[in-house]
């Protein structure tokens, strides 16, 4: 037992030294000139979307610049968006990969296979099995540049794309692509995606909002190898003595009971759309990176959340409800309970402006739009 503890300690000393060297590496290579190519913005986006078959392994680091007032249940999400997350990734394909999150106190690995995911907490020897649902809260693997770049560019139009100067990322030439959302409701001012010239893999993604010079999110590879990892590296079977549980997904969330007014087809000028896995009570509006979700809130939870948002510096409190922003993310509790003669209480959340939240709340209050 004592020897095992000593090996554990030395292991993390080695990891810490390795990460320190990797973090320092981009400072050196960034000084080298980056090669550019005569590639159009639309062509570069197409290369990004085609990169999901490209195998790789490497270290990545994600830095969030947001501060969200959330409950304990959403603390892991808030940490992802406000802190620094260090990841080691091995990717063989869309349903065969592994991402380890390394912290000062331990390591947690997520393994993807054809049936879902395994999450393994090395320190607690605890495994959890997930089904990889269509609707889920973001986790560390979602912040890898390779995954985030594809997701953010998937609905960008040619008119919203432009080229920017190349940079060096992880020792590679990375071609610059900028996505500037055209919708007036957008709170994201620009997304820069830096793409590996050889493979089309996004190597760095920087998300900015108009009201701050600090990026809302900056995720990049520090080191990258495009050789195919071995199957044994990504595979996982829980040890016989491990504690095993099942992950909850968002379809398990209690949205309350009772009739509510049907959500309209349009809110704040954004068109409602449907996604696999989204419960019928939730409305999703917008496209690309400009998205607004509307979720009915049970009365027992809406009061506490309303008070929590109202106590946030910069909160707007008026007859429509209470709304806040943190970088490009916006949250609002709108409406009144049916017991008080209202049409229901809703949580509005998305990458839209405060004005867009107010307009959406007004539409809900007035029952405008076509249901």
């Amino acid at each position: 037992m004592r020897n095992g503890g000593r090996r554990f300690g030395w292991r993390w000393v080695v990891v810490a030294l390795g990460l320190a060297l990797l973090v320092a590496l981009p400072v050196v290579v960034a000084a080298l000139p980056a090669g550019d190519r005569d590639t159009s913005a639309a062509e570069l986006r197409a290369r990004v979307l085609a990169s999901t078959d490209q195998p790789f392994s490497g270290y990545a680091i994600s830095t969030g610049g947001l501060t969200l007032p959330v409950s304990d249940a959403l603390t892991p999400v808030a940490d992802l968006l406000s802190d620094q997350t260090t990841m080691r990734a091995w990717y063989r394909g869309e349903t065969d990969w592994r991402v380890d999150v390394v912290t000062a106190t331990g390591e947690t690995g997520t393994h993807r296979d054809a049936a879902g995911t395994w999450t393994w907490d090395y320190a607690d020897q605890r495994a959890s099995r997930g089904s990889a649902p269509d609707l889920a809260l973001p986790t560390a693997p979602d912040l890898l540049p390779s995954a985030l770049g594809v997701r953010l560019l998937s609905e960008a139009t040619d008119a919203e794309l432009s080229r920017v100067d190349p940079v060096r990322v992880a020792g590679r030439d990375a071609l610059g692509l900028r996505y500037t959302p055209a919708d007036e409701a957008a709170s994201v001012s620009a997304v820069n995606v830096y793409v590996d010239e050889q493979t089309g893999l996004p190597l760095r993604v920087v998300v900015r909002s108009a009201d701050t010079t600090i990026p809302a999110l900056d995720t990049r590879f520090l080191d990258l190898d495009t050789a195919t990892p071995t199957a044994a590296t990504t595979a996982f079977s829980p040890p016989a003595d491990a504690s095993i549980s099942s992950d909850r997904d968002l379809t398990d969330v209690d949205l309350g009971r009772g009739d509510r007014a049907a959500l309209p087809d349009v809110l704040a000028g954004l068109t409602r759309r449907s996604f696999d896995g989204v419960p019928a009570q939730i409305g999703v509006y917008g496209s690309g990176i400009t998205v607004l979700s509307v979720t009915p809130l049970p009365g027992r939870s809406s009061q506490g959340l309303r008070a929590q948002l109202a106590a946030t510096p910069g909160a707007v409190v008026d007859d429509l409800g209470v709304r806040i922003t943190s970088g490009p993310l916006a949250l609002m509790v709108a409406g009144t309970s049916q017991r008080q003669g209202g049409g229901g209480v809703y949580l509005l959340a998305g990458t839209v402006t405060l004005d867009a939240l107010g307009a959406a709340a007004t539409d809900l209050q007035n029952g405008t739009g076509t249901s």
Side-chain angles (χ1 to χ4, degrees):
M1 185 72 171
R2 190 178 307 165
N3 290 338
R6 187 178 293 119
R7 284 197 299 270
F8 181 87
W10 275 110
R11 177 187 181 196
W12 291 111
V13 169
V14 173
V15 170
L17 287 174
L19 289 176
L21 290 173
L22 286 170
V23 170
L25 183 61
V27 176
V28 178
V29 300
L32 300 175
D36 201 358
R37 298 291 185 273
D38 186 18
T39 305
S40 70
E43 181 182 352
L44 195 54
R45 171 185 177 269
R47 294 194 62 197
V48 168
L49 299 186
S51 69
T52 55
D53 291 333
Q54 172 63 47
F56 66 85
S57 60
Y59 277 108
I61 189 169
S62 173
T63 303
L66 307 180
T67 301
L68 296 177
V70 297
S71 66
D72 292 341
L74 290 180
T75 295
V77 178
D79 289 345
L80 284 176
L81 299 177
S82 62
D83 294 337
Q84 184 169 283
T85 304
T86 301
M87 296 166 281
R88 178 70 165 128
W90 299 264
Y91 185 90
R92 290 169 50 83
E94 292 184 82
T95 59
D96 187 359
W97 50 258
R98 168 185 169 187
V99 176
D100 289 355
V101 175
V102 182
T103 69
T105 58
E107 182 176 328
T108 301
T110 301
H111 300 251
R112 179 72 160 92
D113 57 34
T117 60
W118 281 106
T119 301
W120 174 244
D121 188 315
Y122 287 83
D124 294 339
Q125 296 288 288
R126 186 176 66 249
S128 60
R129 185 61 163 161
S131 60
D134 296 302
L135 182 66
L137 292 172
T139 59
D142 296 318
L143 298 186
L144 280 175
S146 51
L148 187 63
V150 170
R151 185 174 297 107
L152 295 185
L153 291 175
S154 63
E155 294 186 342
T157 65
D158 290 352
E160 295 174 310
L161 299 175
S162 60
R163 287 293 310 276
V164 293
D165 290 339
V167 298
R168 296 275 292 181
V169 183
R172 293 169 171 262
D173 288 343
L175 307 183
L177 179 63
R178 176 165 294 170
Y179 169 21
T180 305
D183 202 298
E184 292 184 0
S187 58
V188 173
S189 59
V191 176
N192 281 8
V193 181
Y194 298 96
V195 184
D196 183 29
E197 191 275 330
Q198 296 182 0
T199 64
L201 278 173
L203 301 181
R204 183 180 182 185
V205 178
V206 182
V207 180
R208 296 185 181 276
S209 58
D211 60 350
T212 178
T213 58
I214 300 174
L217 185 66
D218 185 345
T219 178
R220 64 191 185 278
F221 281 109
L222 306 176
D223 175 69
L224 186 71
D225 183 347
T226 55
T228 304
T230 64
T233 302
T234 57
F236 178 80
S237 295
D241 59 347
S243 173
I244 300 177
S245 60
S246 297
D247 288 343
R248 290 184 63 195
D249 60 54
L250 292 186
T251 59
D252 296 326
V253 175
D254 180 9
L255 298 178
R257 299 179 179 179
D259 295 332
R260 296 181 182 273
L263 293 174
D265 290 339
V266 177
L267 280 179
L270 302 174
T271 302
R272 187 175 183 179
R273 52 193 305 191
S274 60
F275 292 97
D276 290 339
V278 177
Q281 304 100 309
I282 298 178
V284 181
Y285 299 81
S287 62
I289 200 172
T290 308
V291 180
L292 171 66
S293 68
V294 181
T295 308
L297 283 177
R300 61 182 179 277
S301 64
S302 63
Q303 294 180 358
L305 182 56
R306 190 189 299 267
Q308 195 172 11
L309 295 186
T312 302
V316 175
V317 182
D318 54 26
D319 292 340
L320 295 172
V322 54
R323 56 193 187 272
I324 68 165
T325 60
S326 178
L329 296 182
L331 296 171
M332 180 177 190
V333 175
T336 55
S337 67
Q338 291 178 319
R339 292 181 180 179
Q340 298 172 322
V345 182
Y346 295 90
L347 172 65
L348 284 65
T351 48
V352 297
T353 63
L354 281 179
D355 288 344
L357 283 184
T362 300
D363 290 343
L364 288 172
Q365 188 179 78
N366 295 338
T368 56
T370 304
S371 60

